[in-house]
Amino acid sequence: MNTFMEYLFVIALLGLIMLPSLVGHLRERAIDRQLREAELGRADLRRARARQAERRAQQRQAELLLAEAREAEIRQVETRQVETREVESPEAAPCRAA
C-alpha cells in the first residue's frame, strides 16, 4: 500500500509541475493561430482551410478506391483458386466421364 501511495504522490507532483507548462503551451498556440489569421486575412484563411479539407477528402477517396481495387483483386485470386481446385479435384473426373 505504501508503494501505491508513493507512486500516486509522484504522479500528482509531476502533474502539478507540468500543468502550468501545458497551459502556457496551449495559450501560445492560440496566440500563434490568431496572428496567422490576422496575417493571412480571414478570407484567405477560409480558402486555405477549404483547400485543405478538399485535399483530405480527395486523399480519402483515393485510399478508398485503392482499397476497393485490392479487395477486388483478392476476390479474383480466390475465385481462380477455387476454380483451379474444382478442375484438379478427383471428384470432378467421374462427372466428366459420365
Side-chain angles (χ1 to χ4, degrees):
M1 187 66 178
N2 285 339
T3 305
F4 174 73
M5 292 302 287
E6 289 173 1
Y7 280 125
L8 190 62
F9 176 75
V10 169
I11 291 171
L13 188 61
L14 183 65
L16 287 174
I17 291 172
M18 291 183 67
L19 185 63
S21 174
L22 180 62
V23 170
H25 178 69
L26 293 175
R27 188 173 295 157
E28 283 183 22
R29 287 189 62 194
I31 292 170
D32 288 343
R33 190 178 314 119
Q34 289 173 354
L35 289 173
R36 197 175 320 116
E37 286 177 5
E39 183 179 313
L40 292 176
R42 296 225 183 254
D44 292 339
L45 183 64
R46 286 187 196 127
R47 278 189 235 122
R49 285 182 182 165
R51 277 189 234 121
Q52 279 182 341
E54 186 177 332
R55 276 189 238 124
R56 277 189 241 127
Q58 289 174 350
Q59 185 177 10
R60 285 185 201 130
Q61 187 177 14
E63 289 172 356
L64 287 173
L65 290 173
L66 183 62
E68 288 175 3
R70 287 179 186 162
E71 288 176 9
E73 186 178 327
I74 290 170
R75 277 190 233 114
Q76 287 177 351
V77 169
E78 289 173 350
T79 304
R80 285 187 209 131
Q81 289 175 347
V82 168
E83 290 173 354
T84 305
R85 284 186 209 136
E86 289 175 356
V87 169
E88 293 175 355
S89 68
E91 297 170 357
C95 294
R96 288 185 190 162

